């Protein structure tokens, strides 16, 4: 890694949580990947404090200072639950829910981005030597622009963790011009895939004709240049491989194997979000059990759904719909005296348990209707490859991960419920040696392009700007 400037990460949330033992660093991939960088160059993380009173400025194991952004409850409602999650999220995920267009929500989004800009500009001005500021995700699309106004010479990188939609969809937003201007104030704008990057370039061409586009370099009317890059996010592959083989994972797996003995185990692991295709997946499972009565009693589908965004109406409705559907399928296909076919866990599970489920699964169902990347797919193949597994990855064509993974997963169109159900059935009959070989190749893809590589690519792009092209 080249010598770096200090790093300021700006994200909606701080990478810490408060538990019984006080504040601890979160275990997410981004935090893990940034640790070595932060230890080397120092820096800060700026995020909303989630209305906690006393976020510490340092936490053990995180080599950066924490700076909390304070937002009133009303602004959080409008900015986070509202504009970010009810306007941008559905619009950027191909209108899987109807985006709310509401000027009050937009005003809150402006206010929140301003609050982030105030704190970030102050921390950046106090950082010597001059830092790289790395802004994360759709909550903060305006922030690069607000920072550029305050700090014209700042080095700013931006990364979008969700898809970037085609121009026809961006055009529906009354604030499309301001949002694109906000992003274009960064030196580099990053996406998971070249498809999302190309959607961005085409959107700029449509909405901002005075911006010149040459390949992946955009030149603003004042001559400033921006580079649009595609860098797929990933996981800490070595860390997951170690977790897969840990004693605790082995112990969890032994319990699960006893419990699910004699059954084909299909698995789903998702935040409970309508983009993840859980309802379509359940419909495919229902068709499979309907078509193949011989599988009843020899088949289990485990859906682990982590609660998400329950302040938003669409998410509360989804929970009810999923729970109704699980109940209906179990009502239809449970044999008296036997276990139910669908096990539904509405909770986050600890890492070791998650790894044990990944090892247990015969077929991992990653079938989002739209997803920026999907890290669950990468976690599954890494755990399986590290333990010489023969599990099958059933992967949607509509997530970023499918581009890197090529034809080694069983690829599905989750909107085609019957087709997906038939693919589920065929996954049970794939040749064992073929399954092993596929998992090994998929594991190698993730090892090669892990989250450390993603961080390096992103920071290089932010530091070099358009000169790096
Ligand atoms: P998410 O939509 O949250 O992320 P994803 O990439 O799948 O989706 O990451 C989910 C993470 O949560 C995984 O690390 C997974 O292990 C964990 N998780 C999910 N369910 C869990 C459960 N029940 N218990 C414990 N852990 C659970 C957004 C975008 C994605 C993009 C990421 C990163 O929507 O497309 O891949 O950001 O950029």
């Amino acid at each position: 890694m080249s010598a770096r400037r200090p790093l300021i990460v700006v994200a909606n949330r701080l990478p810490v949580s408060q538990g019984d033992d006080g504040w601890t660093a979160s275990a997410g991939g981004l935090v893990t990947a940034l640790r070595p960088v932060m230890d080397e160059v120092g820096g800060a993380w700026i995020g909303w404090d989630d209305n906690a009173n006393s976020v510490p400025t340092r936490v053990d194991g995180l080599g950066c200072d924490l700076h909390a952004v304070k937002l009133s409850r009303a602004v959080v409602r409008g900015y986070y639950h509202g504009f970010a999650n009810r306007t941008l999220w559905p619009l950027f995920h191909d209108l899987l829910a109807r985006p709310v267009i509401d000027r009050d929500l937009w005003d809150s989004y402006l206010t929140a981005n301003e609050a982030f800009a105030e704190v970030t500009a102050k921390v950046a001005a106090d950082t010597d030597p001059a830092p790289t500021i790395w802004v994360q995700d759709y909550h903060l699309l305006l922030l690069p622009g607000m920072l550029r106004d305050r700090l014209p010479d700042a080095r700013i990188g931006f990364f979008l963790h969700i898809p970037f939609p085609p121009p026809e969809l961006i055009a529906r937003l009354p604030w499309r011009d301001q949002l694109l201007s906000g992003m274009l104030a960064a030196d580099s704008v990053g996406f998971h895939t070249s498809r999302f990057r190309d959607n961005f370039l085409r959107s700029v061409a449509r909405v901002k004709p005075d911006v010149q586009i040459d390949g992946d370099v955009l030149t603003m009317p004042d001559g400033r240049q921006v580079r649009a890059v595609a860098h797929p996010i990933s996981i800490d592959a070595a860390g997951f491989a170690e977790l897969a083989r840990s004693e605790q994972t082995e112990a969890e797996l032994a319990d699960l194997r006893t419990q699910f003995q004699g059954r084909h185990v299909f698995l789903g692991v998702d935040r409970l979000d309508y983009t993840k295709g859980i309802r379509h997946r359940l419909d495919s499972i229902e068709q499979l059990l309907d078509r193949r009565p011989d599988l009843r009693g020899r088949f289990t589908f485990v859906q682990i759904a982590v609660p998400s965004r329950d302040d938003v109406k669409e998410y509360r409705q989804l929970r009810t719909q999923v729970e109704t559907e699980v109940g209906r399928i179990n009502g239809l296909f449970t044999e008296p005296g036997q276990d139910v076919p669908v096990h539904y866990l509405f909770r986050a599970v600890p890492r070791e348990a998650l790894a044990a489920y990944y090892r247990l699964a015969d077929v991992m169902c990653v079938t989002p209707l739209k997803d920026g990347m999907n890290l669950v797919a990468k976690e599954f193949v890494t755990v399986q490859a590290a333990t010489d597994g023969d599990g099958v990855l059933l992967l949607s064509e509509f997530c970023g991960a499918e581009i890197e993974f090529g034809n080694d997963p069983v690829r599905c169109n989750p909107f085609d419920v019957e087709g997906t159900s038939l693919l589920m059935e065929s996954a049970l009959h794939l040749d064992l040696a073929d399954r092993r070989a596929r998992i090994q190749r998929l594991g190698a893809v993730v090892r090669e392009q892990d989250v450390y590589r993603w961080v390096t690519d992103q920071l290089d792009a932010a530091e070099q700007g358009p000169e790096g092209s």
Side-chain angles (χ1 to χ4, degrees):
M1 195 186 298
S2 56
R4 296 216 179 276
R5 297 154 171 250
L7 178 63
I8 297 178
V9 176
V10 196
N12 178 49
R13 302 265 181 164
L14 288 167
V16 289
S17 52
Q18 194 173 21
D20 295 342
D21 302 330
W23 289 91
T24 50
S26 317
L30 180 57
V31 178
T32 311
L34 283 174
R35 214 166 267 162
V37 184
M38 291 290 200
D39 285 346
E40 188 190 324
V41 297
W45 190 304
I46 294 166
W48 168 46
D49 65 2
D50 206 355
N51 297 327
N53 299 321
S54 53
V55 181
T57 49
R58 292 294 279 208
V59 163
D60 277 352
L62 269 184
C64 63
D65 296 331
L66 302 173
H67 297 270
V69 176
K70 297 265 171 216
L71 301 172
S72 72
R73 280 181 201 282
V75 167
V76 169
R77 240 190 336 270
Y79 142 77
Y80 179 64
H81 304 306
F83 198 77
N85 286 332
R86 299 193 73 202
T87 308
L88 294 177
W89 181 269
L91 191 96
F92 280 41
H93 287 89
D94 288 357
L95 308 180
L96 290 169
R98 182 177 166 172
V100 176
I101 305 285
D102 178 327
R103 281 165 175 73
D104 288 341
L105 302 187
W106 167 251
D107 288 345
S108 295
Y109 191 76
L110 274 172
T111 305
N113 274 253
E114 283 285 352
F116 274 86
E118 278 301 311
V119 176
T120 308
K122 181 163 182 335
V123 174
D126 290 346
T127 304
D128 186 37
T132 298
I133 304 171
W134 191 23
V135 179
Q136 309 289 316
D137 227 357
Y138 63 104
H139 314 92
L140 300 172
L141 295 177
L142 298 172
L143 183 59
M146 292 172 173
L147 289 173
R148 186 65 65 204
D149 291 344
R150 289 166 167 83
L151 306 165
D153 299 325
R155 271 289 170 204
I156 306 173
F158 177 84
F159 189 81
L160 185 70
H161 289 260
I162 65 175
F164 196 90
E168 300 71 39
L169 295 189
I170 280 293
R172 295 185 186 193
L173 281 174
W175 312 282
R176 57 205 184 180
D177 201 343
Q178 292 98 310
L179 292 166
L180 290 175
S181 295
M183 296 171 78
L184 287 168
D187 295 290
S188 73
V189 182
F191 305 90
H192 289 304
T193 69
S194 51
R195 283 185 201 155
F196 301 153
R197 182 196 56 199
D198 294 348
N199 282 345
F200 173 73
L201 294 173
R202 291 193 300 125
S203 298
V204 173
R206 170 163 172 167
V207 175
K208 300 184 79 66
D210 54 351
V211 174
Q212 275 179 40
I213 303 176
D214 182 9
D216 61 3
V217 175
L218 302 103
T219 306
M220 303 301 113
D222 66 0
R224 197 177 55 80
Q225 292 192 315
V226 185
R227 199 169 145 222
V229 294
H231 294 146
I233 200 171
S234 191
I235 60 165
D236 173 16
F240 259 93
E242 201 177 305
L243 173 71
R245 295 186 292 248
S246 75
E247 242 173 69
Q248 209 176 329
T249 301
E250 293 283 358
E252 298 266 0
L253 179 64
D255 286 350
L256 291 175
R257 284 209 168 123
T258 309
Q259 187 187 340
F260 292 108
Q261 203 175 17
R263 287 173 176 254
H264 301 290
V265 177
F266 282 48
L267 177 65
V269 173
D270 313 81
R271 268 188 317 99
L272 190 64
D273 194 298
Y274 52 79
T275 60
K276 302 292 182 183
I278 300 171
R279 295 188 63 202
H280 290 67
R281 192 183 302 159
L282 284 166
D283 288 345
S284 296
I285 297 278
E286 178 177 352
Q287 289 200 8
L288 172 64
L289 289 171
D290 191 44
R291 198 171 55 242
R292 290 279 307 268
D294 59 302
L295 281 179
R296 301 175 201 165
R298 296 197 295 122
F299 170 96
T300 304
F301 173 52
V302 181
Q303 174 65 55
I304 310 178
V306 69
S308 183
R309 303 182 190 169
D310 53 10
D311 288 301
V312 177
K313 185 179 79 191
E314 287 78 9
Y315 288 75
R316 290 194 299 274
Q317 283 172 347
L318 174 69
R319 180 180 173 189
T320 308
Q321 289 160 342
V322 166
E323 292 180 356
T324 304
E325 225 153 307
V326 168
R328 198 167 52 78
I329 297 174
N330 281 340
L332 284 172
F333 300 116
T334 303
E335 299 292 341
Q338 290 197 359
D339 200 5
V340 291
V342 181
H343 284 223
Y344 172 65
L345 283 65
F346 179 61
R347 72 197 76 134
V349 300
R351 278 162 58 80
E352 290 76 10
L354 192 62
Y357 277 108
Y358 287 150
R359 284 189 61 181
L360 177 78
D362 297 302
V363 180
M364 178 81 221
C365 304
V366 179
T367 59
L369 305 177
K370 189 79 182 179
D371 216 336
M373 175 52 62
N374 197 293
L375 294 177
V376 167
K378 294 191 169 182
E379 294 167 0
F380 170 72
V381 300
T382 301
V383 165
Q384 286 270 331
T387 53
D388 199 21
D390 54 28
V392 176
L393 176 63
L394 178 67
L395 188 67
S396 164
E397 286 171 32
F398 302 107
C399 63
E402 70 93 27
I403 294 178
E404 287 165 90
F405 282 176
N407 286 326
D408 279 322
V410 172
R411 290 155 58 95
C412 74
N413 166 6
F415 293 94
D416 175 10
V417 168
E418 187 183 2
T420 301
S421 161
L422 290 165
L423 288 169
M424 287 173 167
E425 189 176 342
S426 68
L428 287 171
H429 305 298
L430 287 175
D431 170 70
L432 181 72
D434 182 30
R435 293 202 310 251
R436 285 223 159 91
R438 287 180 190 226
I439 277 292
Q440 286 306 324
R441 287 194 294 268
L442 290 167
V445 169
V446 181
R447 275 197 303 281
E448 191 143 309
Q449 174 70 53
D450 68 3
V451 75
Y452 295 98
R453 166 96 178 267
W454 174 75
V455 166
T456 302
D457 289 347
Q458 272 294 292
L459 295 184
D460 284 350
E463 292 188 0
Q464 292 160 12
E467 301 95 73
S469 43

